[in-house]
């Protein structure tokens, strides 16, 4: 199965990045690919066994991918596997690992997939692999940018007396 690894530097500790990434109520604040993101099948928080639905924007065909968390080790790793059959995907799995470093943390997204229909698999997989790598890098950049903006807003608020201990 084709797959890839995309790594990005994050301007925040792994725990903060992990929490934001798996907070479906806030996912659309930063995710450049999605028009909808929510937990499904009665789940109220991301955890091992929980399911989620992520629907791409119109540019990405409004494809909805429902996944189940098969691993969830807060704050350093989560993994999902596809449980529905959206167009063009026969199989999909992904994991994301977070590691603290001197500049915040790194996020490493690893994915594998198999395209369908089988008669077009070789062609589809070449195109889909390039698109998935490009979009994953774009999404991780957007997550990093969002975290930077959030930190700047928090710092500005603290400088103007809206921080802890103020009467504002």
């Amino acid at each position: 199965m084709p797959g890839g690894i995309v790594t990005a530097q994050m301007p925040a500790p792994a725990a903060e990045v992990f929490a934001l990434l798996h907070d479906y109520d806030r996912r659309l604040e930063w995710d450049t690919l999605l028009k909808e993101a929510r937990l499904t099948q009665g789940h109220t928080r991301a955890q091992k066994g929980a399911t989620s639905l992520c629907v791409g924007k119109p540019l990405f065909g409004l494809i909805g991918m429902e996944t189940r968390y098969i691993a969830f080790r807060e704050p350093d790793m989560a993994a999902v596997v596809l449980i529905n059959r959206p167009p063009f995907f026969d199989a999909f799995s992904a994991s994301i690992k977070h590691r603290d470093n001197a500049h915040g943390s790194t996020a490493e997204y690893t994915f594998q997939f198999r395209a369908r229909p089988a008669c077009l698999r070789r062609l589809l997989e070449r195109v889909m692999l390039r698109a998935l790598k490009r979009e994953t890098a774009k999404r991780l950049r957007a997550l990093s940018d969002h975290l930077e903006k959030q930190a700047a807003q928090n710092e500005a608020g603290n400088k103007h007396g809206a921080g802890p201990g103020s009467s504002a």
Side-chain angles (χ1 to χ4, degrees):
M1 280 199 290
I5 299 173
V6 180
T7 304
Q9 176 63 39
M10 295 290 146
E16 185 179 335
V17 179
F18 188 97
L20 179 59
L21 182 69
H22 300 287
D23 183 343
Y24 285 81
D25 291 335
R26 298 187 60 205
R27 186 69 173 263
L28 300 182
E29 290 177 14
W30 62 268
D31 199 314
T32 57
L33 178 69
L34 302 180
K35 81 171 213 68
E36 179 182 352
R38 60 184 169 86
L39 294 167
T40 61
Q41 299 181 19
H43 294 99
T44 58
R45 69 181 203 79
Q47 61 188 347
K48 186 175 179 181
T51 57
S52 68
L53 176 67
C54 292
V55 179
K57 291 181 178 177
L59 179 64
F60 302 100
L62 299 171
I63 292 174
M65 295 178 71
E66 189 169 15
T67 58
R68 177 178 314 284
Y69 281 96
I70 57 172
F72 196 86
R73 285 194 329 252
E74 194 169 351
D76 54 19
M77 193 277 288
V80 297
V81 64
L82 185 69
I83 59 172
N84 67 340
R85 294 208 11 112
F88 308 112
F89 284 92
D90 190 41
F92 178 87
S93 61
S95 68
I96 189 158
K97 296 177 183 172
H98 304 272
R99 301 284 181 262
D100 285 322
N101 61 34
H103 305 288
S105 63
T106 56
E108 179 183 275
Y109 186 86
T110 303
F111 66 92
Q112 288 184 282
F113 71 99
R114 186 173 50 243
R116 66 180 174 100
C119 62
L120 297 174
R121 184 167 288 147
R122 289 184 64 190
L123 171 65
L124 285 173
E125 286 178 348
R126 281 195 306 267
V127 171
M128 290 168 71
L129 180 59
R130 273 184 271 149
L132 285 167
K133 282 182 178 178
R134 182 182 63 246
E135 288 307 315
T136 299
K138 183 178 173 184
R139 292 168 84 189
L140 290 177
R141 273 192 311 277
L143 177 58
S144 176
D145 292 347
H146 181 81
L147 287 161
E148 277 184 359
K149 188 185 312 181
Q150 194 173 352
Q153 289 172 343
N154 289 344
E155 190 167 314
N158 288 339
K159 285 181 181 179
H160 291 94
S166 73
S167 60

